[in-house]
Amino acid sequence: MSDGSTTINAVETSFQIIDVLADHGPLRVTELAEETGVPKGTVHKHLATLRGVGYVVKEEKVYRLSLQYLRVGKRIQKRSKLFRLAKPIVDELAKTTRATTNLMIVEEERGVYLYRNDGMSVESDPLPAVGGRVPLHATAGGKAILSQSLELTEKLIEDHGLQQFTEKTIIDKQELRNELRSIRDQGVAFERGEHDPAVQCVGAPIVVDDEPVGAVSISGNIDRMIGKKLEEDLTGLVVSTVSEIEIALLRQ
C-alpha cells in the first residue's frame, strides 16, 4: 500500500479491488466487500468506474477483470529490451531441458517474472504468474541478482527485512550475506524450498557492465529437481544461457 508519501485513497481502493478480482474473481459486490473490507456502496462505485473505462466486465451479477490487462501487460513486456533479446534464448533453454524456465528482473526490491516458458512440464509448478512479485532473498533468481549488488542487498534488508516463507527461508542477515558471497564466487544460486516448500530451482545472474539486469532460472517440483540433474546438468545450461543473453545485450 502506501510508502508514507502522499497517496490517493480512492486509487488504492480501486487497485485493492482489482487485486482481489485477479486472485479470486469473478465475484459479486458483497463478496468483494467481504474480501477487501470496503463498504458495498464504495465497492459498487469503484466497479462502475472501472467498467466505464473498460477494465472490469459485469456478467449477470458478478464482476471480472477484462482482457484489457492482457493488452497493457503485453505492451509493457514488449518494450523491454531484455525481454526481446532474451525470449528466444530462454525458449531454447526450455526446449532443451523440457522444464519451466524463468526470466526475472527487479522492481522496488522485489523479483518480478518478466517471462516464463513452461517447456514440456506435465505438472503445474506452484509459481507466481508472469508479472507477479516474489522475494529476492528466497528465490534462486533473486539471490543470483542480489549476489551482484551489495547496495541492493542492504537496501532490501533495511527496507523490507527478511520475511520467512518456509522453514528453509534464510532470515538471518549475516547468513544471507555469506550465501550471496558464495553465489557470486560460483556464479549460480539454488533455491531449495525457501519460498515454496514444493519447489526447487537453480538460477544465474545476467550481468552487463558489472550491473545485474536480471536472472534466468529453471524451476520444478522438489521431487524432480534433485541430485545430478539439479547440481550439474541444469546448472551448466543456465550459466551458458545467461552468457548468451549477456553477449546479445552487449551487441545492442
Side-chain angles (χ1 to χ4, degrees), residues 10-163:
V11 175
E12 289 188 345
T13 300
S14 285
F15 277 103
Q16 188 180 0
I17 291 169
I18 289 168
D19 283 340
V20 170
L21 285 175
D23 291 337
H24 307 292
L27 295 173
R28 295 171 179 261
V29 173
T30 301
E31 294 168 326
L32 274 167
E34 291 174 353
E35 289 288 338
T36 60
V38 176
K40 285 176 58 177
T42 303
V43 169
H44 191 272
K45 290 178 181 178
H46 282 270
L47 289 171
T49 301
L50 290 167
R51 284 185 69 198
V53 293
Y55 282 90
V56 163
V57 174
K58 183 179 181 182
E59 296 174 335
E60 299 294 335
K61 296 183 179 181
V62 298
Y63 295 83
R64 66 168 175 83
L65 299 183
S66 77
L67 296 182
Q68 286 271 49
Y69 294 93
L70 286 178
R71 177 181 62 84
V72 173
K74 289 294 184 182
R75 285 184 175 181
I76 295 170
Q77 190 183 54
K78 289 179 180 179
R79 288 192 183 115
S80 166
K81 181 173 74 171
L82 177 61
F83 167 78
R84 295 195 305 271
L85 294 176
K87 180 182 181 300
I89 303 173
V90 170
D91 286 342
E92 186 61 30
L93 177 63
K95 180 180 178 181
T96 300
T97 62
R98 301 168 67 87
T100 301
T101 306
N102 312 288
L103 178 65
M104 179 186 286
I105 60 172
V106 175
E107 288 182 347
E108 302 285 347
E109 293 90 53
R110 292 288 189 267
V112 179
Y113 290 112
L114 180 62
Y115 178 66
R116 173 178 298 128
N117 186 318
D118 290 323
M120 297 294 290
S121 179
V122 295
E123 298 180 28
S124 178
D125 298 317
L127 297 171
V130 171
R133 291 185 171 188
V134 293
L136 293 172
H137 71 287
T139 54
K143 288 190 291 183
I145 293 170
L146 287 176
S147 73
Q148 305 298 309
S149 175
L150 177 61
E151 179 182 356
L152 178 60
T153 300
E154 296 306 319
K155 185 170 177 55
L156 169 70
I157 292 173
E158 180 180 351
D159 292 352
H160 303 284
L162 301 178
Q163 182 180 352

Side-chain angles (χ1 to χ4, degrees), residues 167-240:
E167 62 180 12
K168 295 183 178 180
T169 307
I170 298 175
I171 57 174
D172 181 81
K173 299 174 184 178
Q174 192 55 50
E175 183 181 353
L176 177 64
R177 294 185 184 106
N178 292 341
E179 175 154 344
L180 295 179
R181 279 196 293 268
S182 177
I183 292 170
R184 185 179 180 91
D185 291 341
Q186 297 175 4
V188 292
F190 293 97
E191 174 190 340
R192 306 178 193 276
E194 296 157 53
H195 186 225
D196 187 299
V199 173
Q200 297 217 116
C201 187
V202 58
I206 303 169
V207 182
V208 177
D209 295 329
D210 297 324
E211 292 292 330
V213 298
V216 171
S217 63
I218 300 176
S219 55
N221 188 278
I222 198 167
D223 296 327
R224 304 193 308 270
M225 297 280 288
I226 57 175
K228 180 176 179 291
K229 178 179 181 180
L230 176 65
E231 303 286 349
E232 299 179 23
D233 300 345
L234 297 182
T235 296
L237 289 169
V238 166
V239 170
S240 62

